[in-house]
């Protein structure tokens, strides 16, 4: 009789937990949906920004050197242009990192 009582008590606890979770399920689905919408929106923004960075880099790499460029700096590159390249490189790395985070969030 004791085993039967403990089994029914355990079954009651499981049923109660199941009911609790069933009440939460619409909220959970809504939260998941909102999260996916937010991540997809953010991912789109990041991809547009990445395209812009890549297009600027492509344009700068193909542009002829400035006539007034005095060739100062590393490898004949003007220091301000080198700083711009480094800043763009850092921005590109940050964008890739954020894109990766968005994709991981969507994979969950």
């Amino acid at each position: 009789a004791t085993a039967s009582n403990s089994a029914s008590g355990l079954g009651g606890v499981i049923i109660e937990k199941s009911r609790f979770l069933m009440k939460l399920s619409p909220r959970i689905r809504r939260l998941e949906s909102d999260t996916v919408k937010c991540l997809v929106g953010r991912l789109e923004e990041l991809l547009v920004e990445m395209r812009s960075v890549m297009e600027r880099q492509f344009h700068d790499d193909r542009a002829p050197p400035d006539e007034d460029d005095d060739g100062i700096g590393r490898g004949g590159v003007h220091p301000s242009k080198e700083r711009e390249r480094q800043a763009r490189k850092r921005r590109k790395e940050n964008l890739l990192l954020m894109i990766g985070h968005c994709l991981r969030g969507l994979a969950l």
Side-chain angles (χ1 to χ4, degrees), residues 23-74:
K23 289 179 184 177
L24 288 179
S25 64
R27 291 181 185 174
I28 292 169
R29 281 193 295 276
R30 176 64 187 259
L31 181 61
E32 287 175 337
S33 174
D34 291 350
T35 301
V36 167
K37 286 178 188 174
C38 182
L39 284 171
V40 167
R42 183 66 177 132
L43 180 60
E44 288 174 351
E45 292 170 5
L46 292 169
L47 290 172
V48 166
E49 192 171 344
M50 177 62 88
R51 183 177 65 196
S52 174
V53 167
M54 296 301 292
E55 286 173 352
R56 272 185 264 134
Q57 179 180 348
F58 179 76
H59 173 72
D60 289 351
D61 289 347
R62 295 181 51 101
D66 293 338
E67 303 242 344
D68 62 344
D69 189 2
D70 59 6
I72 299 173
R74 194 177 62 153

